[in-house]
Amino acid sequence: MIAKISSGKDTAGLIRYLFDTKKAKDHTDPHLVASWDGFAPDPGRTDDFDATKKLLVADLDLHVKQAKRLGRAPEKHVWHCSIRAAETDRHLSDEEWADIARRVVAATGIAPDGDPDGCRWVAVRHAPDHIHIAATKVRADLRTARHWNDYLTADRELAAVEKEYGLYQVVRGDRTAAKRPTRAEQEKARRTGQDKTARERLRTTVRTAVAAASSMEEFVHLLSHIDGVLVKVVYFPSGDIRGYKVAAEDTTTAGKKPVWFSGSGLAPDLSLPKIQKRLENIDPHPAGQPGRRRSNPWHQATAATERIPRHLDQTDDHASQAHLAAFGEALDALPLLAPRALRPQLREAATAFERATRSRIQAEHHHARALRSTVRAMLREPASRDGAVLAMFLDAAILVVIAAARWHQLRHHDQQAAAAHRTLFHLQAAYDQAAAVPLAVLAQRRPPQQAVDRHVRCVRQAIPDQAQQITEDPAFDALATVLAEAEAAGHDPEQLLRQAADQRALDDARSPARTLAWRMRRLSARPAPSARARAAQARSAARPEGAPQHPSAPAHEAATVPPPSPPQARRR
């Protein structure tokens, strides 16, 4: 159920509209279902409509006129609340609508339960799926009703009504969503042939600039050099940035002046202070040292991304929120790095996940410094032409989105969970397209059958519980190739398989062989361990159960944190 609340000055005009059946063709059989005392005159159930309507208006306005004589009546004394059920809901009876109306006026402070001085109100039903509550805001003691935050309190009460009546439960927000475009903005975009409004396009542009920048100065520089975007920066006398606003060159006022939007007007997390906090928590990416192998930033970003589901399983919600915000920046950056064919799906994924990056939980951004810095490094090193590193990252990203949906669901963040589900659809489409060619190339290099049989035995030894599912997976040929190449590079395939499987459970994977292939390829890109390191690994594997583990081993975390319920998302 959805409530819409407004205020007005004309009681008679509102009552006339609610009972009108001539101009409003969708009004059928208008009548009262409830009122402040249960005895209000009903214009819809009388032969003399005009006289009864005047009597009802006079009764509603009684305390307003008394307050006016004392100079205490509010300018807008009419309170109007419409409540509409979902299209899929059953038609409620008049008695059920009456109960809902009483609960809403009580919850909003218009007529609290047990208060004899509550405001006067009536509930009018003129269609099967909704009612209107018309009230006057002056109480019997001639004080104005205290109905602050009435939309939120009404919405909260309607959420309880939906559960009790078995109705469709509307996805509700927490007032952290970006401001929606106004109808005027939508009409202007339509007239100029734009798919999205200037506000929406600028929001995407600014988010991308934040994802690419490493400092406020670089952020402003990037914005200033984007075609079609105007930037106005305000500075303190000290030279520090005080604020910024942006405009689209193709969107102007009637006087041909730009329509400016502040950062906070685009989205709550795009205000200058919020951007500064995020940019302050970026680790400088170390420059390559002579004689030392430089780490691949795509591999580093994938590794940081794969750790996010484990972070979300912990109890520190502030850290979890920070990791989701940093992951959102990674999605914002991907369209800049991906092939042209993948960009539409990746842009849609980033736009959808934007809602999942914000909640009432305050993010402590220092927890996600590593991922944020590797995203900036990725932007400075394009993806390989074969698309393998991009597919590898998207494979890890899908697991993060599934975990994010579950995390938000457990905290009753309805809009954020729904946004994560929408993101999953677009990410999976992009991943399937990105992974097709690299997997086909790997499958073509399938090793001889004798080597494949040996790798099948490795899988059964390393991951016995899921060995059959992995070996029967259509992507197993690609995995066999990766195992053969890792073995040729000096790695122990069985040890590498265990390490890849331990990084994250494969339960959420639609194709476990495909997921293992990307993890194995990233792990095998590292130098093979020496004989001494292998001996240490063997001793570690042989350690008795219950013996203390290395601090970096996360096995104990799974024992102390119960796994959350599976997400209601499409499995991959």
Side-chain angles (χ1 to χ4, degrees):
M1 284 189 160
I2 296 176
K4 183 178 179 181
I5 298 175
S6 59
S7 296
K9 301 178 181 180
D10 186 4
T11 307
L14 176 58
I15 296 299
R16 186 186 312 114
Y17 162 74
L18 296 180
F19 284 91
D20 174 55
T21 57
K22 295 179 180 178
K23 292 183 180 179
K25 300 300 183 183
D26 56 337
H27 292 187
T28 58
D29 187 26
H31 60 281
L32 296 186
V33 295
S35 65
W36 73 94
D37 61 357
F39 299 102
D42 185 355
R45 292 291 184 265
T46 181
D47 294 333
D48 194 342
F49 173 81
D50 291 333
T52 309
K53 184 193 70 174
K54 290 179 182 178
L55 185 59
L56 176 60
V57 172
D59 286 352
L60 287 171
D61 277 344
L62 175 64
H63 300 314
V64 176
K65 292 179 179 179
Q66 293 172 340
K68 279 184 178 179
R69 287 197 292 267
L70 299 175
R72 295 164 57 180
E75 181 183 1
K76 291 186 176 182
H77 64 269
V78 178
W79 187 83
H80 177 204
C81 174
S82 62
I83 305 173
R84 185 178 295 274
E87 292 182 0
T88 55
D89 286 339
R90 60 182 175 85
H91 285 176
L92 302 176
S93 66
D94 281 358
E95 291 73 19
E96 289 173 317
W97 277 119
D99 174 59
I100 293 169
R102 293 188 191 98
R103 292 174 63 166
V104 168
V105 294
T108 55
I110 293 297
D113 284 334
D115 184 355
D117 292 330
C119 300
R120 294 192 167 193
W121 61 273
V122 292
V124 180
R125 183 179 189 181
H126 57 207
D129 62 347
H130 69 277
I131 61 170
H132 292 261
I133 302 175
T136 46
K137 299 180 185 179
V138 180
R139 295 162 43 87
D141 56 12
L142 302 188
R143 291 185 297 148
T144 301
R146 302 178 66 178
H147 61 97
W148 299 307
N149 289 325
D150 50 8
Y151 173 78
L152 291 178
T153 53
D155 196 54
R156 194 178 301 123
E157 187 65 29
L158 291 178
V161 167
E162 290 167 353
K163 292 180 181 179
E164 294 175 24
Y165 280 76
L167 306 176
Y168 173 75
Q169 296 184 26
V170 175
V171 175
R172 289 180 161 81
D174 53 6
R175 305 186 79 179
T176 61
K179 185 177 180 181
R180 292 182 179 180
T182 64
R183 184 169 182 177
E185 291 172 352
Q186 293 173 339
E187 291 296 333
K188 179 172 287 189
R190 194 174 294 113
R191 288 196 303 270
T192 56
Q194 297 288 347
D195 294 335
K196 295 183 178 180
T197 64
R199 186 191 300 272
E200 293 169 309
R201 288 182 282 127
L202 290 169
R203 183 186 302 141
T204 300
T205 299
V206 173
R207 287 184 67 86
T208 305
V210 173
S214 300
S215 65
M216 280 303 302
E217 291 73 18
E218 187 177 6
F219 167 68
V220 172
H221 175 77
L222 289 173
L223 274 184
S224 303
H225 288 79
I226 297 176
D227 293 338
V229 176
L230 303 174
V231 184
K232 186 179 290 185
V233 182
V234 181
Y235 295 90
F236 286 109
S238 63
D240 296 330
I241 298 176
R242 180 180 179 180
Y244 79 97
K245 50 186 177 180
V246 291
E249 287 184 350
D250 59 4
T251 304
T252 59
T253 65
K256 302 300 181 182
K257 293 183 179 180
V259 179
W260 295 99
F261 298 91
S262 64
S264 58
L266 297 175
D269 59 340
L270 294 182
S271 66
L272 182 68
K274 296 287 182 65
I275 292 176
Q276 285 175 325
K277 283 185 179 179
R278 289 154 67 183
L279 296 182
E280 287 168 1
N281 288 282
I282 298 177
D283 288 331
H285 198 67
Q289 298 179 4
R292 190 171 182 179
R293 186 172 180 175
R294 189 169 65 90
S295 299
N296 187 318
W298 282 85
H299 290 177
Q300 290 180 312
T302 303
T305 300
E306 284 185 331
R307 291 193 290 269
I308 293 177
R310 184 169 291 160
H311 292 307
L312 297 182
D313 285 343
Q314 306 307 306
T315 57
D316 189 344
D317 283 356
H318 300 286
S320 297
Q321 186 65 59
H323 285 291
L324 291 178
F327 177 70
E329 292 180 21
L331 294 185
D332 290 331
L334 280 184
L336 300 176
L337 302 165
R340 187 178 299 275
L342 296 179
R343 291 174 190 172
Q345 290 288 4
L346 292 176
R347 286 195 189 98
E348 291 295 331
T351 300
F353 196 76
E354 177 212 1
R355 183 67 188 96
T357 62
R358 290 188 303 272
S359 73
R360 283 290 181 184
I361 299 172
Q362 190 71 30
E364 295 179 352
H365 291 295
H366 64 273
H367 290 285
R369 297 173 71 100
L371 176 58
R372 195 167 271 115
S373 63
T374 56
V375 169
R376 272 67 181 178
M378 284 166 54
L379 289 165
R380 289 155 180 78
E381 180 163 328
S384 57
R385 290 186 177 181
D386 63 2
V389 291
L390 176 59
M392 190 185 307
F393 181 86
L394 291 176
D395 179 75
I398 289 173
L399 293 181
V400 173
V401 174
I402 293 174
R406 177 170 55 227
W407 187 83
H408 282 304
Q409 283 173 340
L410 292 174
R411 287 151 186 81
H412 306 290
H413 300 164
D414 296 338
Q415 286 191 354
Q416 290 88 337
H421 290 311
R422 292 195 301 273
T423 305
L424 191 59
F425 173 81
H426 296 293
L427 266 190
Q428 285 179 334
Y431 171 69
D432 289 341
Q433 190 174 352
V437 173
L439 284 172
V441 171
L442 287 173
Q444 288 174 358
R445 300 206 303 265
R446 180 180 183 270
Q449 188 60 43
Q450 184 178 359
V452 172
D453 293 339
R454 189 171 68 256
H455 295 317
V456 168
R457 291 193 293 271
C458 281
V459 172
R460 288 172 179 164
Q461 289 289 332
I463 319 172
D465 293 341
Q466 294 172 299
Q468 183 175 356
Q469 183 183 4
I470 293 169
T471 54
E472 293 177 356
D473 193 316
F476 182 73
D477 285 350
L479 176 59
T481 301
V482 175
L483 286 168
E485 292 176 351
E487 187 177 37
H491 292 278
D492 179 352
E494 187 175 330
Q495 180 67 28
L496 216 59
L497 272 170
R498 288 197 181 95
Q499 188 178 353
D502 288 343
Q503 286 182 347
R504 179 69 183 170
L506 298 170
D507 298 337
D508 288 332
R510 185 175 54 177
S511 171
R514 193 162 57 177
T515 297
L516 281 174
W518 299 131
R519 293 181 187 175
M520 292 281 297
R521 189 166 188 187
R522 179 171 56 80
L523 292 172
S524 63
R526 303 171 182 173
S530 62
R532 185 175 180 180
R534 286 185 181 179
Q537 290 175 351
R539 288 195 299 272
S540 176
R543 181 177 293 134
E545 186 176 354
Q549 297 184 3
H550 189 277
S552 64
H556 68 282
E557 297 175 1
T560 58
V561 181
S565 58
Q568 302 298 315
R570 176 184 171 192
R571 293 175 63 84
R572 55 178 283 282

